[in-house]
Amino acid sequence: NIKDKNHLEHLAQDLEYEGKVILTKKNTCVLSIRREKICEDLIKNFNVVPVKSLILEPPNIDGDLLWAYYIGLLDGDGSILETKKYPEYPTLSWLGTKNNLSLIKTIIDQKLPPYHRPSNVRKAESIYVFCAGGKRGLDLFNFLEAFDVPKLRRKWDYVIKRS
């Protein structure tokens, strides 16, 4: 997405990678990383692989790095939405493998237990989904927003503007 150009440029800068973000004819942005060490680290530590949404397994990290990973996963394979009925409460939604989303659910349940009805990981066609909404969604949004890590601003700023 053309709106993500700054996000990719920030990533390249953080990685000290001199590759350029390219705008394609289809109006999308691409950052092609060809450094073997960076690619190996992405695979080893974060399980970043082609077609990751359908095969991604939980990463080999813990603590605050795990929360940063969930923020990145939300940016890449998730959404932050509002409902018409309760626009003040965002719903955070992740897509991915059952294993990965089950870990996300467990970690979030430990940090922010469900207020009433628990959220579950459910199958949606060829992929799984985990959502947190209502007051819990707002609390989770605020908790994740407080982390000083790069975020896809087009997703996060919409909720902040509405607050």
Side-chain angles (χ1 to χ4, degrees), residues 46-150:
F46 299 101
N47 299 320
V48 174
V49 292
V51 199
K52 69 176 174 30
S53 300
L54 300 176
I55 62 173
L56 187 67
E57 290 300 316
N60 303 314
I61 55 176
D62 57 16
D64 284 353
L65 284 178
L66 198 53
W67 289 111
Y69 169 79
Y70 295 151
I71 291 166
L73 190 61
L74 184 66
D75 284 350
D77 283 335
S79 58
I80 303 172
L81 304 169
E82 70 171 34
T83 62
K84 289 181 183 180
K85 190 172 180 180
Y86 301 106
E88 67 275 17
Y89 295 122
T91 296
L92 285 69
S93 174
W94 286 265
L95 298 174
T97 63
K98 186 174 184 178
N99 285 347
N100 206 13
L101 296 186
S102 293
L103 178 62
I104 290 172
K105 177 191 177 335
T106 299
I107 301 297
I108 289 173
D109 284 352
Q110 290 170 357
K111 182 69 180 173
L112 295 166
Y115 294 109
H116 44 85
R117 191 181 77 209
S119 301
N120 292 310
V121 174
R122 60 182 169 77
K123 187 158 180 144
E125 297 185 25
S126 62
I127 202 162
Y128 288 84
V129 63
F130 171 71
C131 300
K135 172 116 174 55
R136 184 178 188 215
L138 180 61
D139 291 346
L140 181 58
F141 176 89
N142 289 331
F143 173 74
L144 295 175
E145 175 60 21
F147 278 86
D148 186 21
V149 296

